[in-house]
Amino acid sequence: MARLDRVKNITGLVEWYGKNARLRELVNLVVVAGDRRKESKDLEEKAEMKKMYGLIETYKLNGQFRWISSQMNRIRNGELYRVICDTKGAFVQPAIYEAFGLTVVEAMTCGLPTFATCNGGPAEIIVHGKSGYHIDPYHGDRAAETIVEFFEKSKADPSYWDKISHGGLKRIHEK
């Protein structure tokens, strides 16, 4: 859930997903970013949209990938988090840098296991391996593998998903 800016690295996440066959076997990807309903006047956003469409085509993501336009309705955003949580998904915030990380706090508050950039505020919000996971946006292959490892562990032992979910909720309530 972000603007479709380079710094948010949403297209980076889509590329990590597209390149990782095991991740694609384990989970689908839902991206909430930009506004697909209208043509942007912002040159950076236009470039990111073009890149996104190219990645969808290059990696043949149809059927495994859903791109939803950014939502301004807070209730609808909360429902999106809950739907992903209810289906035992996870939240990934792949930004190059994030000053605070409101979406990280929102996702963890909903009980979503959360993967977020190690650059900026999320590095202080998440305790790696206990309440979520730090990922390095400059090492997308490694970030994708961290996500794969989480879902493989959760598949083998469903209580693992719950452990990280509860760890995130505990961290939010404590801090």
Side-chain angles (χ1 to χ4, degrees):
M1 291 185 167
R3 298 180 315 272
L4 201 52
D5 295 340
R6 277 190 302 271
V7 73
K8 295 296 186 180
N9 199 30
I10 300 299
T11 55
L13 172 61
V14 174
E15 188 165 17
W16 305 344
Y17 178 80
K19 287 180 173 179
N20 191 301
R22 185 68 182 129
L23 184 57
R24 291 175 66 174
E25 289 172 19
L26 288 165
V27 295
N28 292 325
L29 178 63
V30 177
V31 168
V32 183
D35 189 347
R36 299 180 61 201
R37 298 166 293 194
K38 62 180 181 174
E39 187 173 340
S40 178
K41 292 178 177 30
D42 182 271
L43 293 178
E44 182 177 333
E45 186 176 47
K46 276 179 151 176
E48 288 296 293
M49 287 184 116
K50 183 178 179 181
K51 184 175 179 182
M52 183 82 84
Y53 284 116
L55 292 166
I56 293 166
E57 182 63 32
T58 298
Y59 295 107
K60 310 285 186 248
L61 296 178
N62 287 329
Q64 295 181 293
F65 172 80
R66 179 72 61 202
W67 180 9
I68 301 170
S69 293
S70 288
Q71 305 294 306
M72 297 301 138
N73 181 311
R74 294 168 75 195
I75 293 169
R76 188 174 297 145
N77 281 338
E79 288 301 312
L80 284 168
Y81 286 120
R82 290 300 321 151
V83 166
I84 302 298
C85 190
D86 289 347
T87 57
K88 301 290 187 187
F91 179 81
V92 181
Q93 194 270 33
I96 301 299
Y97 177 81
E98 186 67 43
F100 176 67
L102 180 60
T103 58
V104 171
V105 172
E106 290 172 346
M108 290 171 70
T109 299
C110 290
L112 268 170
T114 302
F115 299 78
T117 184
C118 59
N119 301 317
E124 295 179 33
I125 298 168
I126 292 172
V127 177
H128 186 79
K130 295 187 187 300
S131 62
Y133 299 89
H134 299 140
I135 55 174
D136 186 340
Y138 294 106
H139 298 281
D141 292 344
R142 198 174 318 143
E145 281 304 315
T146 301
I147 299 167
V148 165
E149 289 168 12
F150 168 78
F151 279 109
E152 284 179 336
K153 283 182 185 177
S154 296
K155 186 176 180 181
D157 176 8
S159 70
Y160 187 74
W161 188 96
D162 294 327
K163 176 185 169 192
I164 301 302
S165 171
H166 293 295
L169 288 166
K170 183 178 180 207
R171 179 80 172 152
I172 292 298
H173 291 292
E174 287 175 355
K175 300 295 177 185

Coordinates of all heavy atoms in Angstrom, one line a residue, residues 89-168:
G89 N -1.8 -14.6 4.9 CA -0.8 -14.0 4.0 C 0.2 -13.2 4.9 O 0.3 -13.4 6.1
A90 N 0.9 -12.3 4.2 CA 1.9 -11.5 4.9 C 1.9 -10.1 4.2 O 1.3 -9.9 3.1 CB 3.2 -12.1 4.8
F91 N 2.5 -9.1 4.9 CA 2.6 -7.8 4.3 C 4.1 -7.5 4.0 O 4.9 -7.8 4.9 CB 2.1 -6.8 5.3 CG 2.2 -5.3 4.9 CD1 1.3 -4.8 4.0 CD2 3.2 -4.5 5.3 CE1 1.4 -3.5 3.6 CE2 3.3 -3.2 4.9 CZ 2.4 -2.7 4.0
V92 N 4.4 -7.0 2.9 CA 5.7 -6.6 2.5 C 5.8 -5.2 2.2 O 5.1 -4.7 1.3 CB 6.2 -7.5 1.3 CG1 7.7 -7.1 0.9 CG2 6.0 -9.0 1.5
Q93 N 6.7 -4.5 2.8 CA 7.0 -3.1 2.6 C 8.4 -3.0 2.1 O 9.4 -3.0 2.9 CB 6.8 -2.3 3.9 CG 6.7 -0.8 3.7 CD 8.1 -0.1 3.8 OE1 9.1 -0.7 3.4 NE2 8.1 1.1 4.3
P94 N 8.6 -2.9 0.8 CA 10.0 -3.0 0.2 C 10.7 -1.7 -0.1 O 11.7 -1.7 -0.9 CB 9.7 -3.7 -1.2 CG 8.4 -3.1 -1.6 CD 7.6 -2.9 -0.3
A95 N 10.4 -0.6 0.5 CA 10.9 0.7 0.2 C 12.4 0.7 0.3 O 13.1 0.1 1.1 CB 10.3 1.7 1.1
I96 N 13.0 1.5 -0.6 CA 14.4 1.8 -0.5 C 14.8 2.5 0.8 O 15.7 2.1 1.5 CB 14.9 2.7 -1.7 CG1 14.5 2.1 -3.0 CG2 16.3 3.1 -1.6 CD1 15.2 0.8 -3.3
Y97 N 13.9 3.4 1.2 CA 14.0 4.1 2.5 C 12.6 4.5 3.0 O 11.8 4.9 2.2 CB 14.9 5.3 2.5 CG 14.9 6.0 3.8 CD1 15.8 5.6 4.8 CD2 14.1 7.1 4.1 CE1 15.8 6.2 6.0 CE2 14.1 7.7 5.3 CZ 15.0 7.3 6.3 OH 15.0 7.9 7.5
E98 N 12.3 4.3 4.2 CA 11.0 4.7 4.8 C 11.3 5.4 6.1 O 11.8 4.8 7.0 CB 10.1 3.5 5.0 CG 8.7 3.8 5.5 CD 7.9 4.5 4.4 OE1 8.0 4.1 3.2 OE2 7.2 5.4 4.7
A99 N 10.9 6.7 6.2 CA 11.1 7.5 7.4 C 10.5 6.9 8.6 O 11.1 6.7 9.6 CB 10.7 8.9 7.2
F100 N 9.2 6.6 8.5 CA 8.5 6.0 9.7 C 8.0 4.6 9.4 O 8.5 3.7 9.9 CB 7.3 7.0 10.2 CG 6.5 6.3 11.3 CD1 7.1 6.2 12.5 CD2 5.2 5.9 11.1 CE1 6.4 5.6 13.6 CE2 4.5 5.3 12.1 CZ 5.1 5.2 13.4
G101 N 7.0 4.5 8.6 CA 6.4 3.2 8.2 C 5.1 3.0 8.8 O 4.8 1.9 9.4
L102 N 4.1 3.9 8.5 CA 2.8 3.7 9.0 C 2.1 2.4 8.6 O 1.5 1.7 9.3 CB 1.9 4.9 8.6 CG 0.5 4.9 9.1 CD1 0.4 4.9 10.6 CD2 -0.3 6.1 8.6
T103 N 2.3 2.1 7.3 CA 1.7 0.8 6.8 C 2.3 -0.4 7.6 O 1.6 -1.4 7.7 CB 1.9 0.6 5.3 OG1 3.3 0.6 5.0 CG2 1.2 1.7 4.5
V104 N 3.5 -0.3 8.0 CA 4.1 -1.4 8.8 C 3.3 -1.6 10.1 O 3.0 -2.7 10.5 CB 5.6 -1.2 9.0 CG1 6.2 -2.2 10.0 CG2 6.4 -1.2 7.7
V105 N 3.1 -0.4 10.8 CA 2.4 -0.5 12.0 C 0.9 -0.9 11.8 O 0.4 -1.8 12.6 CB 2.4 1.0 12.7 CG1 1.5 1.0 13.9 CG2 3.8 1.3 13.1
E106 N 0.3 -0.5 10.7 CA -1.1 -0.9 10.4 C -1.1 -2.4 10.2 O -2.0 -3.1 10.7 CB -1.6 -0.1 9.2 CG -1.9 1.3 9.4 CD -2.2 2.1 8.1 OE1 -2.0 1.6 7.0 OE2 -2.7 3.2 8.3
A107 N -0.2 -2.9 9.4 CA -0.2 -4.3 9.1 C 0.0 -5.2 10.4 O -0.7 -6.1 10.6 CB 0.8 -4.6 8.0
M108 N 1.0 -4.8 11.2 CA 1.3 -5.5 12.4 C 0.1 -5.4 13.4 O -0.2 -6.4 14.1 CB 2.5 -5.0 13.0 CG 3.8 -5.3 12.2 SD 5.3 -4.5 12.8 CE 5.6 -5.3 14.4
T109 N -0.6 -4.3 13.4 CA -1.8 -4.1 14.3 C -2.9 -5.1 13.9 O -3.7 -5.5 14.7 CB -2.3 -2.6 14.2 OG1 -1.2 -1.8 14.7 CG2 -3.5 -2.4 15.1
C110 N -3.0 -5.4 12.6 CA -4.0 -6.4 12.1 C -3.5 -7.8 12.3 O -4.2 -8.8 11.9 CB -4.3 -6.1 10.6 SG -5.2 -4.6 10.4
G111 N -2.3 -8.0 12.8 CA -1.8 -9.4 13.0 C -1.1 -10.0 11.8 O -0.8 -11.2 11.7
L112 N -0.8 -9.1 10.8 CA -0.1 -9.6 9.6 C 1.4 -9.8 9.8 O 2.0 -8.8 10.2 CB -0.3 -8.7 8.4 CG -1.5 -8.9 7.5 CD1 -1.7 -7.7 6.6 CD2 -1.3 -10.2 6.8
P113 N 2.0 -11.0 9.6 CA 3.4 -11.1 9.6 C 3.9 -10.1 8.6 O 3.4 -10.0 7.5 CB 3.7 -12.5 9.1 CG 2.4 -13.2 9.6 CD 1.3 -12.3 9.4
T114 N 4.9 -9.3 9.0 CA 5.4 -8.2 8.2 C 6.9 -8.2 7.8 O 7.7 -8.5 8.7 CB 5.1 -6.9 8.9 OG1 3.6 -6.8 9.2 CG2 5.5 -5.6 8.2
F115 N 7.2 -8.0 6.6 CA 8.5 -7.9 6.0 C 8.7 -6.4 5.6 O 7.9 -5.9 4.9 CB 8.7 -8.8 4.8 CG 8.5 -10.2 5.1 CD1 7.2 -10.7 5.2 CD2 9.5 -11.1 5.3 CE1 7.0 -12.1 5.5 CE2 9.3 -12.4 5.5 CZ 8.1 -12.9 5.7
A116 N 9.7 -5.7 6.1 CA 9.9 -4.3 5.8 C 11.3 -3.9 5.7 O 12.2 -4.6 6.2 CB 9.2 -3.5 6.8
T117 N 11.5 -2.9 4.9 CA 12.9 -2.4 4.7 C 13.7 -2.2 6.0 O 13.2 -1.8 7.0 CB 12.8 -1.0 3.9 OG1 14.2 -0.6 3.6 CG2 12.2 0.1 4.8
C118 N 15.0 -2.5 5.8 CA 15.9 -2.3 6.9 C 16.4 -0.9 7.0 O 17.3 -0.6 7.8 CB 17.0 -3.3 6.8 SG 18.0 -3.2 5.3
N119 N 16.0 -0.1 6.1 CA 16.4 1.3 6.0 C 15.4 2.3 6.5 O 14.5 2.6 5.8 CB 16.8 1.6 4.5 CG 17.9 0.7 4.0 OD1 18.8 0.4 4.7 ND2 17.7 0.2 2.8
G120 N 15.5 2.8 7.7 CA 14.6 3.8 8.2 C 13.8 3.2 9.4 O 14.2 2.3 10.1
G121 N 12.7 3.8 9.6 CA 11.8 3.6 10.7 C 11.4 2.1 11.0 O 11.4 1.6 12.1
P122 N 11.1 1.4 9.9 CA 10.7 0.0 10.1 C 11.8 -0.9 10.8 O 11.4 -1.9 11.5 CB 10.4 -0.5 8.7 CG 9.9 0.7 8.0 CD 10.8 1.8 8.5
A123 N 13.0 -0.5 10.7 CA 14.1 -1.3 11.3 C 14.0 -1.2 12.8 O 14.4 -2.1 13.6 CB 15.5 -0.8 10.9
E124 N 13.3 -0.1 13.3 CA 13.1 0.1 14.8 C 11.8 -0.5 15.2 O 11.6 -0.9 16.4 CB 13.2 1.5 15.1 CG 14.5 2.2 14.9 CD 14.6 3.6 15.3 OE1 13.8 4.0 16.2 OE2 15.3 4.4 14.6
I125 N 10.8 -0.6 14.3 CA 9.5 -1.2 14.6 C 9.6 -2.7 14.8 O 9.0 -3.2 15.7 CB 8.5 -0.7 13.5 CG1 8.3 0.8 13.5 CG2 7.1 -1.4 13.8 CD1 7.6 1.3 12.3
I126 N 10.2 -3.3 13.8 CA 10.3 -4.8 13.8 C 11.5 -5.3 14.5 O 12.6 -4.8 14.3 CB 10.3 -5.3 12.3 CG1 9.0 -4.9 11.6 CG2 10.7 -6.7 12.2 CD1 9.0 -5.2 10.1
V127 N 11.3 -6.4 15.3 CA 12.4 -7.2 15.8 C 12.5 -8.4 14.9 O 11.6 -9.3 14.9 CB 12.1 -7.6 17.3 CG1 13.3 -8.5 17.8 CG2 12.0 -6.4 18.2
H128 N 13.6 -8.5 14.2 CA 13.8 -9.5 13.1 C 13.6 -10.9 13.7 O 14.2 -11.3 14.7 CB 15.1 -9.3 12.5 CG 15.3 -10.3 11.3 ND1 14.8 -10.0 10.0 CD2 16.0 -11.4 11.2 CE1 15.1 -11.0 9.2 NE2 15.8 -11.9 9.9
G129 N 12.7 -11.6 13.0 CA 12.5 -13.0 13.4 C 11.5 -13.2 14.6 O 11.2 -14.4 14.9
K130 N 11.1 -12.2 15.2 CA 10.2 -12.3 16.4 C 8.9 -11.6 16.1 O 7.8 -12.1 16.3 CB 10.9 -11.7 17.6 CG 12.1 -12.4 18.1 CD 12.5 -11.9 19.4 CE 13.8 -12.5 19.9 NZ 13.9 -13.9 20.1
S131 N 9.0 -10.3 15.6 CA 7.7 -9.6 15.3 C 7.6 -9.2 13.8 O 6.8 -8.5 13.4 CB 7.7 -8.3 16.1 OG 8.7 -7.4 15.8
G132 N 8.5 -9.8 13.0 CA 8.5 -9.6 11.6 C 9.9 -9.8 11.1 O 10.7 -10.4 11.7
Y133 N 10.1 -9.2 9.9 CA 11.4 -9.5 9.3 C 11.9 -8.2 8.6 O 11.2 -7.5 7.9 CB 11.3 -10.6 8.2 CG 10.9 -11.9 8.8 CD1 9.6 -12.2 8.9 CD2 11.9 -12.8 9.3 CE1 9.2 -13.4 9.4 CE2 11.5 -14.0 9.8 CZ 10.1 -14.3 9.9 OH 9.7 -15.5 10.5
H134 N 13.2 -7.9 8.7 CA 13.9 -6.9 8.0 C 14.3 -7.4 6.6 O 14.8 -8.5 6.6 CB 15.1 -6.4 8.7 CG 14.9 -5.8 10.1 ND1 15.7 -6.1 11.1 CD2 13.9 -5.1 10.5 CE1 15.2 -5.5 12.2 NE2 14.1 -4.9 11.9
I135 N 14.1 -6.7 5.6 CA 14.6 -7.0 4.3 C 15.4 -5.9 3.7 O 15.1 -4.7 4.0 CB 13.4 -7.4 3.3 CG1 12.4 -6.3 3.2 CG2 12.8 -8.8 3.7 CD1 11.3 -6.6 2.2
D136 N 16.4 -6.2 2.9 CA 17.2 -5.2 2.3 C 16.8 -5.0 0.8 O 16.9 -5.9 0.0 CB 18.7 -5.7 2.3 CG 19.7 -4.6 1.9 OD1 19.2 -3.7 1.1 OD2 20.9 -4.8 2.2
P137 N 16.2 -3.8 0.5 CA 15.7 -3.6 -0.8 C 16.8 -3.6 -1.9 O 16.5 -3.8 -3.1 CB 15.1 -2.2 -0.7 CG 15.8 -1.6 0.4 CD 16.1 -2.7 1.4
Y138 N 18.1 -3.5 -1.5 CA 19.2 -3.6 -2.5 C 19.6 -5.1 -2.8 O 20.4 -5.3 -3.6 CB 20.4 -2.8 -2.0 CG 20.1 -1.3 -1.9 CD1 19.9 -0.7 -0.7 CD2 20.0 -0.6 -3.0 CE1 19.6 0.6 -0.6 CE2 19.7 0.8 -3.0 CZ 19.5 1.4 -1.8 OH 19.3 2.7 -1.7
H139 N 19.0 -6.0 -2.1 CA 19.2 -7.4 -2.2 C 17.9 -8.2 -2.4 O 17.5 -8.9 -1.5 CB 20.1 -8.0 -1.1 CG 21.4 -7.3 -1.0 ND1 22.5 -7.7 -1.9 CD2 21.9 -6.3 -0.2 CE1 23.5 -6.9 -1.6 NE2 23.2 -6.1 -0.6
G140 N 17.2 -7.9 -3.5 CA 15.9 -8.5 -3.7 C 15.9 -10.0 -3.7 O 14.9 -10.6 -3.2
D141 N 16.9 -10.7 -4.2 CA 16.9 -12.1 -4.2 C 16.9 -12.6 -2.8 O 16.2 -13.6 -2.4 CB 18.1 -12.7 -5.0 CG 18.0 -12.4 -6.5 OD1 16.9 -12.1 -7.0 OD2 19.1 -12.5 -7.1
R142 N 17.7 -12.0 -1.9 CA 17.8 -12.4 -0.5 C 16.4 -12.1 0.2 O 16.0 -12.9 1.0 CB 18.9 -11.7 0.2 CG 19.3 -12.4 1.5 CD 20.6 -11.8 2.1 NE 21.6 -11.5 1.2 CZ 22.4 -10.5 1.3 NH1 22.3 -9.6 2.3 NH2 23.4 -10.3 0.4
A143 N 15.8 -11.0 -0.1 CA 14.5 -10.6 0.5 C 13.5 -11.6 0.1 O 12.7 -12.1 0.9 CB 14.1 -9.2 0.0
A144 N 13.4 -12.0 -1.2 CA 12.5 -13.0 -1.6 C 12.7 -14.3 -0.9 O 11.7 -15.0 -0.5 CB 12.6 -13.2 -3.2
E145 N 14.0 -14.7 -0.7 CA 14.3 -16.0 0.0 C 13.8 -15.9 1.4 O 13.3 -16.9 2.0 CB 15.7 -16.3 -0.1 CG 16.1 -16.9 -1.4 CD 15.3 -18.1 -1.8 OE1 15.1 -19.0 -0.9 OE2 14.9 -18.2 -3.0
T146 N 13.9 -14.8 2.1 CA 13.4 -14.6 3.4 C 11.9 -14.8 3.5 O 11.4 -15.5 4.4 CB 13.7 -13.2 4.0 OG1 15.2 -13.0 4.0 CG2 13.2 -13.0 5.4
I147 N 11.2 -14.3 2.5 CA 9.7 -14.5 2.4 C 9.4 -16.0 2.1 O 8.5 -16.6 2.8 CB 9.1 -13.6 1.3 CG1 9.4 -12.1 1.7 CG2 7.6 -13.8 1.2 CD1 9.1 -11.1 0.6
V148 N 10.2 -16.6 1.2 CA 10.0 -18.0 0.9 C 10.2 -18.9 2.2 O 9.3 -19.7 2.5 CB 11.0 -18.5 -0.2 CG1 11.1 -20.0 -0.2 CG2 10.6 -17.9 -1.5
E149 N 11.2 -18.6 2.9 CA 11.5 -19.4 4.2 C 10.4 -19.2 5.2 O 10.0 -20.2 5.8 CB 12.8 -18.9 4.8 CG 14.1 -19.3 4.0 CD 15.3 -18.6 4.5 OE1 15.3 -17.9 5.6 OE2 16.3 -18.7 3.8
F150 N 9.8 -18.0 5.3 CA 8.7 -17.8 6.2 C 7.5 -18.7 5.8 O 6.9 -19.4 6.6 CB 8.3 -16.4 6.3 CG 7.0 -16.2 6.9 CD1 6.9 -16.2 8.3 CD2 5.8 -16.0 6.2 CE1 5.6 -16.1 8.9 CE2 4.6 -15.8 6.8 CZ 4.5 -15.8 8.2
F151 N 7.1 -18.6 4.5 CA 6.0 -19.4 4.0 C 6.2 -20.9 4.0 O 5.3 -21.7 4.3 CB 5.5 -18.9 2.7 CG 4.6 -17.6 2.8 CD1 5.1 -16.4 2.4 CD2 3.4 -17.7 3.3 CE1 4.4 -15.3 2.5 CE2 2.6 -16.5 3.5 CZ 3.1 -15.3 3.1
E152 N 7.4 -21.3 3.8 CA 7.7 -22.8 3.9 C 7.6 -23.2 5.3 O 7.0 -24.3 5.5 CB 9.1 -23.1 3.3 CG 9.1 -23.0 1.8 CD 10.5 -23.3 1.2 OE1 11.5 -23.1 1.8 OE2 10.5 -23.7 0.0
K153 N 8.1 -22.5 6.2 CA 8.0 -22.8 7.7 C 6.5 -22.9 8.1 O 6.1 -23.7 8.8 CB 8.8 -21.9 8.6 CG 10.3 -22.1 8.6 CD 10.9 -21.1 9.5 CE 12.4 -21.2 9.5 NZ 13.0 -20.2 10.4
S154 N 5.8 -21.9 7.6 CA 4.4 -21.8 8.0 C 3.6 -22.9 7.3 O 2.6 -23.4 7.9 CB 3.8 -20.4 7.5 OG 4.4 -19.4 8.2
K155 N 4.0 -23.3 6.2 CA 3.3 -24.5 5.5 C 3.5 -25.8 6.3 O 2.6 -26.6 6.5 CB 3.8 -24.6 4.1 CG 3.0 -25.6 3.2 CD 3.5 -25.6 1.8 CE 2.8 -26.6 0.9 NZ 3.2 -26.6 -0.5
A156 N 4.8 -26.0 6.7 CA 5.2 -27.2 7.4 C 4.6 -27.2 8.8 O 4.2 -28.2 9.4 CB 6.7 -27.3 7.5
D157 N 4.5 -26.0 9.4 CA 4.0 -25.8 10.8 C 3.1 -24.6 10.9 O 3.7 -23.5 11.1 CB 5.2 -25.8 11.8 CG 4.7 -25.5 13.2 OD1 3.5 -25.6 13.5 OD2 5.6 -25.3 14.1
P158 N 1.8 -24.7 10.7 CA 0.9 -23.5 10.7 C 1.0 -22.6 12.0 O 0.7 -21.5 11.9 CB -0.5 -24.1 10.6 CG -0.2 -25.4 9.9 CD 1.1 -25.9 10.4
S159 N 1.5 -23.2 13.1 CA 1.7 -22.4 14.3 C 2.8 -21.4 14.1 O 2.8 -20.4 14.9 CB 1.9 -23.3 15.5 OG 3.2 -23.9 15.5
Y160 N 3.7 -21.6 13.2 CA 4.8 -20.6 12.9 C 4.2 -19.3 12.5 O 4.6 -18.2 12.9 CB 5.8 -21.1 11.9 CG 7.0 -20.2 11.8 CD1 7.9 -20.2 12.8 CD2 7.2 -19.4 10.7 CE1 9.0 -19.3 12.7 CE2 8.2 -18.6 10.6 CZ 9.2 -18.5 11.6 OH 10.2 -17.7 11.5
W161 N 3.2 -19.3 11.6 CA 2.6 -18.1 11.1 C 2.0 -17.3 12.3 O 2.1 -16.1 12.5 CB 1.5 -18.4 10.1 CG 0.9 -17.2 9.4 CD1 1.2 -16.7 8.2 CD2 -0.2 -16.3 9.9 NE1 0.5 -15.5 7.9 CE2 -0.4 -15.3 9.0 CE3 -0.9 -16.3 11.1 CZ2 -1.4 -14.3 9.1 CZ3 -1.9 -15.3 11.2 CH2 -2.1 -14.3 10.3
D162 N 1.3 -18.1 13.2 CA 0.7 -17.5 14.4 C 1.7 -16.9 15.3 O 1.5 -15.9 15.9 CB -0.1 -18.6 15.1 CG -1.3 -19.1 14.3 OD1 -1.9 -18.3 13.6 OD2 -1.7 -20.2 14.5
K163 N 2.9 -17.6 15.4 CA 3.9 -17.1 16.3 C 4.4 -15.7 15.8 O 4.5 -14.8 16.7 CB 5.1 -18.1 16.2 CG 6.3 -17.6 17.0 CD 7.5 -18.6 16.9 CE 8.7 -18.0 17.4 NZ 9.9 -18.7 17.1
I164 N 4.6 -15.5 14.5 CA 5.1 -14.2 14.0 C 4.0 -13.2 14.1 O 4.2 -12.0 14.5 CB 5.7 -14.3 12.6 CG1 6.9 -15.3 12.6 CG2 6.1 -13.0 12.1 CD1 8.0 -15.0 13.5
S165 N 2.8 -13.6 13.8 CA 1.6 -12.7 13.9 C 1.5 -12.2 15.4 O 1.3 -11.0 15.6 CB 0.3 -13.5 13.5 OG -0.8 -12.7 13.8
H166 N 1.5 -13.1 16.3 CA 1.4 -12.7 17.7 C 2.6 -11.9 18.2 O 2.4 -10.9 19.0 CB 1.2 -13.9 18.6 CG -0.1 -14.6 18.4 ND1 -1.3 -14.1 18.7 CD2 -0.3 -15.9 17.9 CE1 -2.2 -14.9 18.4 NE2 -1.7 -16.0 17.9
G167 N 3.8 -12.2 17.6 CA 5.0 -11.4 18.0 C 4.8 -9.9 17.5 O 5.2 -9.0 18.2
G168 N 4.2 -9.7 16.3 CA 4.0 -8.4 15.8 C 2.9 -7.7 16.6 O 3.1 -6.5 17.0

